[in-house]
Amino acid sequence: EASNDDASIPCFTHSGQLFVGGLAWETTEDSLRSYFRQFGPLKHVVVKEGRGFAFVNFRNPNDAETVLACPQHLVDQKSIDIKPYTKHN
């Protein structure tokens, strides 16, 4: 029975990395870093310029889970879409 509970725990909890989509075109690494640092220390922020998405990696994976628990995020006056990072994002 415990194995069923373990199976429902997403693997991202060990990485602390998030996929961030729906970015405003003017969003930069600095503006994302400024927004996400309120949740905890960051390892990396990489914005894919001209593509509207980014990757944010927290030092503590629990901080990434805190971000995911928030229902809405606004960066540069735009609502963004945040998901656990998987290789399929």
Side-chain angles (χ1 to χ4, degrees):
E1 292 176 83
S3 63
N4 288 342
D5 290 338
D6 292 343
S8 69
I9 297 171
C11 61
F12 80 91
T13 56
H14 300 293
S15 74
Q17 190 165 10
L18 301 174
F19 171 85
V20 182
L23 297 177
W25 296 119
E26 64 270 15
T27 298
T28 64
E29 288 182 13
D30 286 341
S31 60
L32 272 187
R33 191 177 306 279
S34 178
Y35 177 77
F36 282 106
R37 75 167 50 114
Q38 69 182 308
F39 296 98
L42 300 167
K43 271 191 195 174
H44 304 286
V45 175
V46 178
V47 172
K48 298 297 186 176
E49 291 187 30
R51 305 217 20 223
F53 68 91
F55 299 99
V56 175
N57 196 347
F58 285 89
R59 292 189 187 279
N60 182 343
N62 292 332
D63 295 335
E65 292 184 42
T66 300
V67 171
L68 291 169
C70 294
Q72 186 175 22
H73 298 274
L74 290 172
V75 174
D76 293 327
Q77 301 177 2
K78 190 166 189 304
S79 181
I80 58 174
D81 182 33
I82 301 173
K83 299 177 182 171
Y85 170 77
T86 64
K87 291 184 180 181
H88 303 294
N89 291 108

